[in-house]
């Protein structure tokens, strides 16, 4: 129970992002589709088939040791790109202070990808949210249920074909209609002056 | 036949005497109840004010000058609120529970001697009576938790009954030392014996018992840091979660009467009741003109203030830790105190 | 030795299923936790979130980068300032601009103030949950002070929206700095006040030491961040790892724990309060002079006083309806907030110059370009205005009109952003708040993703609580410091 104040041990910044991308390319030459760089942030686009082993490699390789899954999400490219979905992993190593972004392409007709919960336990809720919002199945997830939306919700709201106001549009929420109906039923019991 | 022949003059006298006795007792009951309930009302006000000032705020200020009428406003509010009974509750038991709780607490006031000659029922087993009634009060808590048919209330009821039962043992044992020193279970006798002793009050020779008693008293009345049955952040409101309106008020009243009772018991058994220690009177002789009830009430208030003080200061124990304190520390210490008291008594008897 | 005989099974026993929340005094908002209890011990714990889901990510995709800023206030409303800063830093990175130094320092100051106010609220509720009632009110006394400071700089207390993309909304005043200095002088003694109440309190220690223990490896594996992670001993602080704003120009230390229990996390936050005071002090010392908005006209709004018309001060123009062009549609008539426009249908309308507020609403509403802005027209008689407007359009006038239109365009659509994607995280009081923007080259983000620390921490709840008692659930919900507005987004 001793708490100490430390200057966060600033290890020399680890490997550069391009080099990490190179390393992935070397190790999995078949899998890497593209490497992009925007504002000093490198993203490696990969095929989804071996995404699990690539991420496991990133996590386990002692030189890399990406122990922190900063974020896991998806992008719906709708008809802008050939492959509709991209599952995005933002990784960081608290040991070496280097980052990388991995994007796995997931086609619409086979919206499944291996779950990374065995690698990062924290991915659990991220993947549930991803499933909730995009309808991407995570194979091997221990408890894949909707998380933010009710269990009986229809559709996946963050898909681009989902309208902003929902499928119901301007229609009132059923619960609200129920309340109005009930209040009309009970009107005869109201007190009058 | 003539009535006068049947009832002899002595019988009439006896009857009249009986009538007067009953009238006096009734009068006493009215006085004790009225003052007791008023005290409950203002104990809540006092609590909110004291804790308020300890927490850099003012407490009630709106109703009346300095919020003095706040207790009445609260009472009126509670009276007129809707009385909600859960649909799945066991109705009869649900109705009875607060009454049992309240009645068990209130009956105890009858044996408390507030002044030298002011006690409703001066019975020989006063102390035992109080324990018995406190035991009955647990039923009120437990069945209210069960009858509500709510899990929070149920857990609150379970916790509370476990708590009150275990701490009753510690409390009973802590008072055994007092009984041994006073040689009586009658509360008035205990006070008199205290006044005559060298220390003036048993809190000094019985300080181990005193400490155990104070802790157990706080636990017995479900106050912080032992307010687990009604731990707001865990069990919402514990056993009276489902109660509202006047039924809730009954629990509330019962709880505060129990607090008055514990404070009185502490005053009687350890602080000398209505008497002042002889050494104090020797230094300030004029204090003997002050009526005894004033000292009694002041001591009770001091104990109340202590209640509020700890409520504002300490966090809450966890259930298992709390039970461990009761069974592993307080009860052994209290038993040790009994042994010590007995030992000292024998030694003194041998020496003197 | 006597062997205990296995008691005959007369009853079938099963766990008690208790539903805690979403309405519960200690679940910090609308978290719902379903507990399976064996006696008082937790066998299973399932958190349910989403009761406060407002679809901020979906909304963000339909708003411009300016418009989505106020949404971030509504995520972690306890420390709205930090969330605003997180958003602004991320969007700045996407734009490729940088805030001026003064703005950076101001943002660091308000960000740390927000950290203090968040930690105070955390301590208050955590202590109240455990039963220490007085700490709650002591903390709120100081939090109130900080909210008043916020009010002083931007007029809002809770949902501030004070930082802007490219800087901050307005400069801070000397009055604010004076009050802040007073606060900084007083606050460290107040921290001691809280600590006297609970730091060495036996009951507090009993309730927090050894509760919710999580090792360093496991904590990072679960994705914990912020003080919740640092309590386990990993010095991961984004302010140090990837400094943003002025954090690379101030000196501060990162408190880390060793045991990874509730008490260590509590100590970390208490020490962070002191570090925040230290950071603010340094920022005040080093506060440079200069503008508070970046000089990037393509991305940043011009200053307020130059907004309405760029070449002319506001009070030197007049609005006038060209009778020839006006079709009498009545659109401007209805739109005018001052009711300065009169006229009948299908006949040219007129503007009462004495009532006109020069808000330009009519100018925008008119579809027939019948409304003219006349430079130097203010205070001129009606005939003169006709005369003036009949003159060939002056260069000035044209410029003014264009500037106005451009400005409206800019406000309505927002700046165009190059195609690309960024993930930028900032250290908010609760942990790592990440914004992930994907831009497809238009005015709106193609995808806006918020990585909220509360969401991840709520996911760890089961790991922390298993095997503990019911009362420890409350301590654990407190120690991970969640706000459901941020968790559900």
């Amino acid at each position: 129970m001793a708490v100490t104040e430390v200057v966060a041990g600033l290890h020399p910044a680890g490997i550069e992002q391009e080099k990490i991308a190179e390393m992935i390319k070397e190790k999995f030459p078949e899998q890497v589709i593209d490497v992009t760089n925007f504002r000093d942030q490198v993203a490696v686009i990969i095929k989804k088939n071996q995404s699990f082993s690539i991420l496991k490699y990133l996590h386990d390789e002692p030189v890399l040791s990406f122990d922190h899954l900063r974020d896991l999400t998806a992008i719906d490219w709708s008809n802008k790109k050939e492959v509709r979905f991209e599952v995005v992993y933002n990784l960081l190593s608290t040991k070496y202070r280097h980052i990388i972004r991995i994007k796995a392409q997931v086609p619409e007709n086979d919206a499944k990808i291996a779950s990374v919960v065995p690698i990062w336990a924290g991915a659990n809720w991220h993947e549930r949210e991803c499933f909730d919002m995009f309808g991407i199945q995570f194979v091997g997830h221990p408890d894949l249920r909707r998380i933010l939306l009710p269990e009986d919700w229809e559709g996946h709201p963050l898909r681009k074909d989902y309208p902003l106001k929902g499928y119901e549009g301007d229609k009132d929420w059923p619960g609200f209609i129920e309340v109005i109906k009930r209040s009309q039923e009970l009107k005869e019991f109201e007190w009058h002056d | 036949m003539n009535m006068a022949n049947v009832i002899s003059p002595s019988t009439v006298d006896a009857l009249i005497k009986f009538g007067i006795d009953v009238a006096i007792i009734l009068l006493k009951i009215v006085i004790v109840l009225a003052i007791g309930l008023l005290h409950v009302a203002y104990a809540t006000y006092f609590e909110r004010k004291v804790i308020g000032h300890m927490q850099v705020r003012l407490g009630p200020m709106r109703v009346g000058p300095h919020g003095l009428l706040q207790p009445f406003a609260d009472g009126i509010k509670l009276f007129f609120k809707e009385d909600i009974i859960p649909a799945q509750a066991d109705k009869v038991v649900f109705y009875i529970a607060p009454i049992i709780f309240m009645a068990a607490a209130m009956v105890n006031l009858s044996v408390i001697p507030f002044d030298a000659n002011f006690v409703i029922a001066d019975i020989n087993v006063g102390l035992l009576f109080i324990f018995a009634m406190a035991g009955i009060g647990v039923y009120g808590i437990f069945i209210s938790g069960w009858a509500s048919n709510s899990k929070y209330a149920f857990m609150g009821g379970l916790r509370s009954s476990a708590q009150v039962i275990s701490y009753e043992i510690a409390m009973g044992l802590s008072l055994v030392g007092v009984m041994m020193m006073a040689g009586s279970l009658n509360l008035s006798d205990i006070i008199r014996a205290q006044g005559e002793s060298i220390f003036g009050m048993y809190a000094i020779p019985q300080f181990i018992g005193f400490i155990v008693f104070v802790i157990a008293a706080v636990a017995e009345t479900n106050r912080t840091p032992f307010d687990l049955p009604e731990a707001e952040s865990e069990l919402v409101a514990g056993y009276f979660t489902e109660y509202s309106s006047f039924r809730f008020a009954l629990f509330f009243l019962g709880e505060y009467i129990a607090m008055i009772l514990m404070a009185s018991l502490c005053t009687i058994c350890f602080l000398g009741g209505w008497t002042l220690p002889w050494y104090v009177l020797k230094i300030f002789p004029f204090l003997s003109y002050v009526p005894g009830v004033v000292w009694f009430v002041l001591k009770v208030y001091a104990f109340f203030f202590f209640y509020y003080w700890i409520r504002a200061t300490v966090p809450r124990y966890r259930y298992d830790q709390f039970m461990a304190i009761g069974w592993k520390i307080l009860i052994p210490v209290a038993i040790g105190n009994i042994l010590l008291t007995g030992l000292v008594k024998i030694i003194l008897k041998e020496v003197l | 030795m006597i062997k205990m005989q296995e008691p005959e099974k007369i009853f079938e026993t099963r766990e008690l299923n208790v539903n805690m929340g979403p309405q519960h005094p200690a679940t910090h908002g609308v978290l719902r936790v379903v507990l399976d209890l064996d006696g008082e011990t937790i066998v299973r714990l399932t958190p349910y979130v989403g009761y406060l889901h407002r679809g901020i990510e979906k909304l963000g995709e339909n708003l411009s980068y300016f418009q989505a800023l106020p949404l971030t206030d509504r995520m972690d409303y306890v420390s709205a300032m930090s969330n605003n800063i997180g958003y602004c830093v991320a969007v700045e990175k996407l734009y490729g601009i940088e805030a001026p130094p003064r703005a950076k320092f101001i943002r660091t100051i308000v960000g740390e103030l927000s950290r203090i106010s968040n930690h105070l609220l955390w301590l208050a509720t955590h202590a109240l949950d455990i039963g220490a009632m007085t700490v709650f009110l002591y903390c709120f006394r100081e939090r109130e002070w900080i909210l008043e400071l916020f009010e002083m700089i931007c007029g809002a207390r809770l949902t501030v929206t004070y930082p802007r993309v490219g800087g901050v909304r307005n400069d801070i005043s000397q009055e604010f700095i004076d009050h802040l200095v007073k606060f900084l002088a007083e606050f460290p003694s107040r921290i001691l006040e809280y600590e006297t109440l609970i730091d060495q309190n036996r009951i507090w220690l009993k309730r927090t030491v050894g509760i919710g223990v999580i090792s360093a490896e496991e904590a990072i594996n679960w994705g914990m961040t912020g003080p919740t992670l640092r309590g386990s001993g990993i010095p991961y602080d984004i302010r140090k790892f990837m400094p943003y704003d002025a954090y690379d120009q101030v000196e501060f230390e990162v408190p880390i724990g060793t045991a990874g229990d509730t008490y260590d996390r509590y100590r970390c936050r208490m020490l962070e309060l002191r570090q925040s005071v230290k950071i603010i002090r340094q920022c005040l010392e080093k506060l440079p002079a200069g503008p508070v908005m970046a000089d990037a006209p393509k991305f940043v709004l011009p200053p307020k006083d130059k907004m309405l018309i760029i070449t002319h001060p506001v009070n030197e123009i007049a609005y006038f309806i060209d009778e020839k062009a006006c079709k009498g549609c009545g659109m401007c008539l209805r739109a005018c907030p001052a009711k300065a426009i009169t006229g009948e249908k299908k006949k040219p309308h007129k503007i009462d110059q004495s009532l006109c507020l020069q808000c330009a609403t009519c100018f925008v509403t008119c579809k027939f370009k019948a409304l003219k802005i006349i430079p130097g027209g203010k205070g001129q008689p009606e005939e003169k205005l006709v005369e003036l407007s009949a003159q060939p359009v002056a260069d000035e006038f044209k410029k003014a009109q264009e500037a106005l239109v451009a400005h409206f365009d800019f406000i309505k659509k927002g700046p165009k952003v190059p195609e690309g994607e960024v993930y930028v995280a900032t250290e908010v009081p609760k942990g790592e708040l990440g914004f992930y923007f994907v831009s497809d080259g238009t005015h709106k983000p193609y995808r806006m993703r918020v990585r909220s620390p509360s969401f991840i921490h709520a996911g760890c709840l089961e790991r922390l609580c298993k095997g503990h008692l019911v009362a420890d659930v409350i301590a654990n919900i407190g120690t991970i410091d969640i706000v459901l507005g941020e968790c559900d987004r």
Side-chain angles (χ1 to χ4, degrees), chain B residues 85-148:
Chain B
I85 296 149
Q88 298 294 314
D90 188 331
K91 298 228 166 40
V92 178
V93 184
F94 192 81
Y95 290 147
I96 299 172
I99 298 171
I100 294 178
F101 183 68
M102 163 92 174
M106 227 145 183
V107 159
N108 282 330
L109 289 179
S110 63
V111 294
I112 300 288
F114 294 98
D115 200 352
N117 294 310
F118 192 92
V119 50
I120 298 172
D122 196 11
I123 53 174
N124 280 335
V125 287
L127 213 49
L128 276 185
F129 180 78
I130 286 177
F131 283 132
M133 280 303 147
I136 289 176
V138 182
Y139 282 97
I141 291 175
F142 185 65
I143 65 176
S144 72
W146 182 78
S148 303

Side-chain angles (χ1 to χ4, degrees), chain C residues 122-340:
Chain C
W122 162 81
L123 178 64
T125 49
H126 188 38
L128 186 69
D129 287 349
I130 292 184
M133 189 185 172
T134 305
V135 183
F136 176 79
L137 285 134
Y138 280 12
C139 289
F140 263 68
R141 177 182 57 186
E142 271 72 61
R143 188 176 146 83
E144 184 67 23
W145 199 347
I146 294 174
L147 295 184
E148 270 165 25
L149 286 171
F150 283 167
E151 197 178 356
M152 215 176 276
I153 45 173
C154 64
R157 288 157 56 88
L158 210 63
T159 48
V160 283
T161 326
Y162 172 65
R164 289 290 148 88
V165 177
V168 293
R169 196 184 82 184
N170 54 309
D171 206 346
I172 52 174
S173 63
Q174 188 57 42
E175 193 199 358
F176 167 75
I177 294 175
D178 292 344
H179 275 88
L180 185 57
V181 169
K182 217 181 279 171
F183 173 78
L184 294 178
E186 183 71 27
F187 186 62
S189 67
R190 298 287 171 88
I191 303 175
L192 285 177
E193 222 168 86
Y194 318 139
E195 286 183 346
T196 26
L197 272 169
I198 49 177
D199 207 37
Q200 295 300 323
N201 188 317
R202 279 177 63 94
I203 305 177
W204 180 265
L205 291 177
K206 274 201 158 183
R207 287 298 303 276
T208 53
V209 175
I211 303 300
V213 181
I214 189 160
S215 69
E217 292 78 32
E218 219 174 334
I220 193 74
N221 197 256
W222 273 96
M224 283 177 164
T225 44
T228 319
L229 172 71
R230 291 195 285 272
S232 294
I234 293 186
Y236 172 52
D237 188 329
I238 300 162
R239 293 176 294 176
K240 285 277 184 204
F241 269 49
M242 293 151 208
Y244 55 97
D245 281 354
Y247 286 111
D248 50 351
Q249 295 169 55
V250 289
E251 271 177 30
F252 65 100
E253 278 152 24
V254 180
I256 58 166
T258 46
D261 58 3
T262 303
Y263 185 75
D264 271 15
R265 291 190 278 269
Y266 150 77
R267 280 305 303 161
C268 277
R269 291 192 174 96
M270 293 311 274
L271 291 173
E272 259 178 37
L273 284 177
R274 295 186 171 86
Q275 293 301 325
S276 291
V277 172
K278 196 170 149 192
I279 293 171
I280 299 172
R281 279 214 184 105
Q282 290 177 55
C283 283
L284 280 179
E285 275 167 25
K286 291 182 182 171
L287 189 65
V292 292
M293 273 305 249
D295 185 21
K298 272 191 179 173
F299 294 114
V300 170
L301 293 180
K304 268 250 157 90
D305 53 339
K306 287 182 190 163
M307 255 186 186
L308 203 55
I309 198 153
I310 289 171
T311 45
H312 288 278
V314 176
N315 55 4
E316 278 180 18
I317 57 162
Y319 288 81
F320 175 72
I321 297 172
D322 190 351
E323 289 190 5
K324 280 170 225 155
C326 182
K327 298 268 198 286
C329 67
M331 288 289 280
C332 51
L333 197 144
R334 280 192 291 276
C336 182
K339 298 201 166 60

Side-chain angles (χ1 to χ4, degrees), chain B residues 54-57 151-152 155 159 225 232-234 236 311-321, chain C residues 17 19-20 24-26 40 129-134 137-138 201 203 206-207 211 469 471-472 474:
Chain B
M54 282 176 179
Q55 295 172 341
V56 290
R57 60 195 172 92
K151 282 163 184 169
Y152 288 117
M155 280 173 72
R159 276 186 182 189
E232 191 211 352
S233 52
E234 297 155 35
V236 191
R311 179 169 172 210
T313 313
V314 292
R316 184 182 302 123
Y317 268 111
R318 207 173 61 195
Y319 183 67
D320 59 328
Q321 295 164 349
Chain C
N17 186 271
N19 186 24
M20 226 179 194
H24 189 278
E40 288 243 351
D129 287 349
I130 292 184
M133 189 185 172
T134 305
L137 285 134
Y138 280 12
N201 188 317
I203 305 177
K206 274 201 158 183
R207 287 298 303 276
I211 303 300
L469 300 181
D472 297 327
I474 307 305

